């Protein structure tokens, strides 16, 4: 595959070696942030044993990174447009590395939550910068090919997280999963200084602080509301307060943007059907899909009883499927078009979810291999086409803002999926347990596994057996619901993206 680049400045041409290095650095950044989102899932049992977080604290440890990332992406994308995407990426990477070291040695659950939020905030500076750099370096078919390669390899991060985490947890304490970020950050900065081109909006405006605050408060308020309703119900005053604050802030944000000479989010982008349809599809697809990472690692470790390393290795087929899907994305656009390719990806994911819904205690691993591969192909097809479409319909000088919207859709959808589907699974798990089960075992399957070790052999084995089957029952219902959602998303994508050109040339500035 031949990839050519558009000049990042008038009269400037990049060599093939440097273009390949640019893609490599961008992929490294995206893998870094993806690994950090998934690597913790495997460490939760060991972390829970060490820090003893409450159920709510455990959810925030898992979700805080994604929520901060989603809440700050729009702001970070606009900052990159103003000060330069390369500069923001390198500075954010340095902060990410330093916070990773502090996170590894967090002495309490409360501090770990704060540090996970800081990690998410620094990651927010990285993701829109990488897509903006790709958007300003490549154009047309070459941009689609570059993003296809980037997306396929980036999904490696979601597979590498459990694998690397499993290897480390077999020999070290839970904090080691964060220290792996440090050497990656060092390489990223050292190489990025020399190979990444700088780009920015030539006529940047003032960054509106009120819009920044409204967007952050709005997203976090809405996410908190959904998470608490799914887990605790409506019988808490803070749920209503968060809902009012979140929805009110987002409404104020939307009403404020058209009045600004340089809005934080250019709402005119949503007048483009391809842009708005792709963003909505991305949110719905990621809502259903990222929860699989959490659920599958719990299944491998707590139902099958596999070690963290073996559980990480067991997830490799999904990563292989993602690599195939990312490579096929650019090729399938030529034959099926963008609507057809995204629809195919959604249907492939729906089939994967349906296969997951048939999982039971003792399911053959060969069955899971097929399930993970089908699911991975669908995810990569959706993300490849969605990312390229969002970037291809906006001018280069607004690449940071458009990239931030795309990444916000991805991260917010994924974080909501983990929170809502994870909470739904937890609720179904508790409903499937008999009334006499001890309270710690009622909260999570991990809690049941820990309680079972403190009981005599017979009662302990019976408790674990009951809890595992309750978990499987919840898993089956949750996965079947996600399959239905993906069929619905497939229909939305087919209708909304029809007529979008296969090749998106640069729009007028």
């Amino acid at each position: 595959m031949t990839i050519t680049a558009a000049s990042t400045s008038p009269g400037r041409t990049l060599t093939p070696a440097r273009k390949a290095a640019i893609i490599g650095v961008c992929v490294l950044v995206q893998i870094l942030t993806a690994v950090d989102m998934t690597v913790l899932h495997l460490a939760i049992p060991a972390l829970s044993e060490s820090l003893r977080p409450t159920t709510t604290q455990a959810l925030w440890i898992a979700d805080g990174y994604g929520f901060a990332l989603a809440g700050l992406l729009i702001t970070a994308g606009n900052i990159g447009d103003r000060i330069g995407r390369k500069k923001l990426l390198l500075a954010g990477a340095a902060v990410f590395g330093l916070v990773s070291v502090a996170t590894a040695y967090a002495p309490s659950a409360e501090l770990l939550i704060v540090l996970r939020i800081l990690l998410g905030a620094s990651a927010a500076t990285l993701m829109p910068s990488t897509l903006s750099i790709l958007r300003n370096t490549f154009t047309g078919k070459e941009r689609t090919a570059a993003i296809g390669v980037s997306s396929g390899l980036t999904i490696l991060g979601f597979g590498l997280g459990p694998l690397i985490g499993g290897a480390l947890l077999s020999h070290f304490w839970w904090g080691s999963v964060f220290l792996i970020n440090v050497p990656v950050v060092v390489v990223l900065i050292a190489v990025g200084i020399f190979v990444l081109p700088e780009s920015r909006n030539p006529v940047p405006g003032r960054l509106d602080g009120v819009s920044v605050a409204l967007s952050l408060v709005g997203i976090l308020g809405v996410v908190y509301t959904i998470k608490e309703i799914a887990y605790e119900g409506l019988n808490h005053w803070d749920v209503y307060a968060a809902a009012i604050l979140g929805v009110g802030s987002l409404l104020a944000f939307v009403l404020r943007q058209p009045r600004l000479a340089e809005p934080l989010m250019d709402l005119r982008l949503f007048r483009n059907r391809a842009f708005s349809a792709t963003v909505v599809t991305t949110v719905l697809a990621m809502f259903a899909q990222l929860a699989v990472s959490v659920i599958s690692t719990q299944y491998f470790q707590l139902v099958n009883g596999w070690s963290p390393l073996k559980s990480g290795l067991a997830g490799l087929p999904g990563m292989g499927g993602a690599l195939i899907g990312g490579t096929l994305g650019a090729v399938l656009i030529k034959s099926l078009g963008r609507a057809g390719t995204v629809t195919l990806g959604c249907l492939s994911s729906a089939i994967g979810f349906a296969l997951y819904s048939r999982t039971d205690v003792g399911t053959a691993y060969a069955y899971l291999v097929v399930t993970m591969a089908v699911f991975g192909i669908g995810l990569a097809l959706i993300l490849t086409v969605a990312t390229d479409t969002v970037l291809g319909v906006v001018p280069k000088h607004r690449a940071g803002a458009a990239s931030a919207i795309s990444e916000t859709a991805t991260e917010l959808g994924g974080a909501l999926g983990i929170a809502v589907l994870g909470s739904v699974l937890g609720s179904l798990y508790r409903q499937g347990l008999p009334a006499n089960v001890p309270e710690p075992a009622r909260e999570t399957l991990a809690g049941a596994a820990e309680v079972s070790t403190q009981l005599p052999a017979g009662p302990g084995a019976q408790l674990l057996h009951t809890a595992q089957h309750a978990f499987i029952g919840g898993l089956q219902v949750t996965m079947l619901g996600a399959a239905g959602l993906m069929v619905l998303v497939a229909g939305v994508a087919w209708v909304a993206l029809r007529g979008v050109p296969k090749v998106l040339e640069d729009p007028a500035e």
Side-chain angles (χ1 to χ4, degrees):
M1 175 167 42
T2 302
I3 299 177
T4 58
S7 298
T8 53
S9 59
R12 183 180 181 185
T13 302
L14 302 178
T15 65
R18 186 173 178 187
K19 288 181 285 186
I22 290 171
I23 295 178
V25 171
C26 291
V27 167
L28 190 62
V29 172
Q30 292 171 320
I31 287 178
L32 179 69
T33 54
V35 165
D36 214 69
M37 179 169 285
T38 58
V39 73
L40 186 66
H41 302 159
L42 214 62
I44 284 178
L47 184 154
S48 298
E49 184 178 349
S50 175
L51 300 183
R52 305 274 181 189
T54 65
T55 301
T56 301
Q57 287 175 334
L59 283 173
W60 276 105
I61 290 170
D63 298 339
Y65 176 88
F67 290 162
L69 180 56
L72 292 171
L73 277 168
I74 294 175
T75 299
N78 279 268
I79 293 174
D81 283 344
R82 287 163 170 79
I83 70 172
R85 289 96 184 210
K86 174 182 178 179
K87 184 182 300 182
L88 180 66
L89 187 151
L90 295 178
V95 174
F96 192 90
L98 293 173
V99 177
S100 294
V101 175
T103 305
Y105 296 97
S108 66
E110 293 83 0
L111 183 58
L112 181 59
I113 292 171
V114 173
L115 291 170
R116 286 286 290 170
I117 292 173
L118 289 177
L119 272 178
S122 56
T125 66
L126 304 177
M127 300 182 73
S129 298
T130 59
L131 291 181
S132 299
I133 290 170
L134 290 175
R135 172 66 180 87
N136 279 269
T137 304
F138 302 97
T139 187
K141 293 180 180 179
E142 288 73 27
R143 184 197 61 249
T144 303
I147 289 176
V149 172
S150 173
S151 297
L153 292 175
T154 297
I155 297 177
L156 276 171
F158 292 101
L160 287 175
L163 178 59
I164 295 172
L168 291 171
L169 291 170
S170 297
H171 300 89
F172 305 103
W173 89 115
W174 63 264
S176 62
V177 300
F178 295 104
L179 291 182
I180 61 172
N181 295 335
V182 178
V184 177
V185 166
V186 171
V187 172
L188 189 159
I189 294 175
V191 178
I193 289 174
F194 297 102
V195 305
L196 293 179
E198 184 61 282
S199 62
R200 60 172 60 87
N201 189 337
V203 284
R206 182 178 64 88
L207 189 67
D208 183 56
V210 175
S211 294
V212 170
L214 289 174
S215 66
L216 179 59
V217 173
I219 291 174
L220 292 182
V222 169
V223 168
Y224 180 86
T225 300
I226 295 174
K227 186 163 75 76
E228 289 300 302
I229 289 176
Y231 191 76
E232 298 287 351
L234 293 169
N235 300 322
H236 299 274
W237 67 268
D238 56 317
V239 171
Y240 296 97
I244 294 171
L245 185 62
V247 173
S249 297
L250 289 180
L251 180 60
F253 175 82
V254 170
L255 294 175
R256 182 176 178 81
Q257 300 314 295
R259 304 174 184 175
L260 301 175
E262 188 69 20
L264 190 67
M265 178 187 288
D266 190 351
L267 298 180
R268 293 172 298 178
L269 293 174
F270 287 93
R271 297 176 185 172
N272 186 303
R273 180 168 58 89
F275 183 91
S276 56
T278 301
V279 170
V280 172
T281 299
T282 301
V283 170
L284 294 175
M286 292 305 298
F287 173 87
Q289 293 185 9
L290 202 58
V292 169
S293 176
V294 180
I295 294 172
S296 61
T297 53
Q298 292 184 58
Y299 175 83
F300 287 139
Q301 288 190 79
L302 300 175
V303 176
N304 286 355
W306 294 351
S307 68
L309 177 58
K310 186 175 180 180
S311 298
L313 290 170
L316 287 178
M319 186 168 57
L323 288 173
I324 294 172
T327 304
L328 288 177
V331 177
L332 289 176
I333 288 176
K334 298 177 183 178
S335 56
L336 302 179
R338 293 176 183 269
T341 304
V342 174
T343 301
L344 179 62
C346 292
L347 292 177
S348 176
S349 296
I351 293 172
F353 276 123
L355 293 172
Y356 271 119
S357 73
R358 306 300 299 170
T359 302
D360 204 342
V361 177
T363 295
Y365 179 65
Y367 177 88
L368 295 173
V369 168
V370 175
T371 301
M372 289 184 285
V374 170
F375 184 83
I377 290 172
L379 174 61
L381 286 176
I382 296 171
L383 293 184
T384 297
V385 181
T387 302
D388 181 64
T389 303
V390 166
L391 294 180
V393 298
V394 300
K396 288 183 178 180
H397 74 276
R398 294 295 290 164
S403 300
I405 294 173
S406 174
E407 293 292 352
T408 299
T410 300
E411 299 304 326
L412 184 58
L416 285 171
I418 291 175
V420 176
L421 293 182
S423 297
V424 168
L425 173 59
S427 177
L428 292 171
Y429 164 76
R430 288 187 292 276
Q431 292 175 21
L433 292 173
N436 62 346
V437 170
E439 187 58 34
R442 297 188 67 84
E443 292 189 356
T444 63
L445 179 57
E450 183 176 352
V451 171
S452 69
T453 62
Q454 302 168 3
L455 298 175
Q462 180 61 41
L463 171 63
L464 184 58
H465 179 269
T466 301
Q468 288 174 339
H469 279 80
F471 177 84
I472 288 296
L475 182 151
Q476 291 173 343
V477 174
T478 303
M479 293 295 99
L480 199 58
L485 176 61
M486 291 310 301
V487 172
L488 176 62
V489 175
V492 171
W494 175 254
V495 173
L497 294 176
R498 293 192 70 178
V500 178
K502 296 179 180 178
V503 178
L504 295 172
E505 299 294 347
D506 289 343
E509 295 290 333

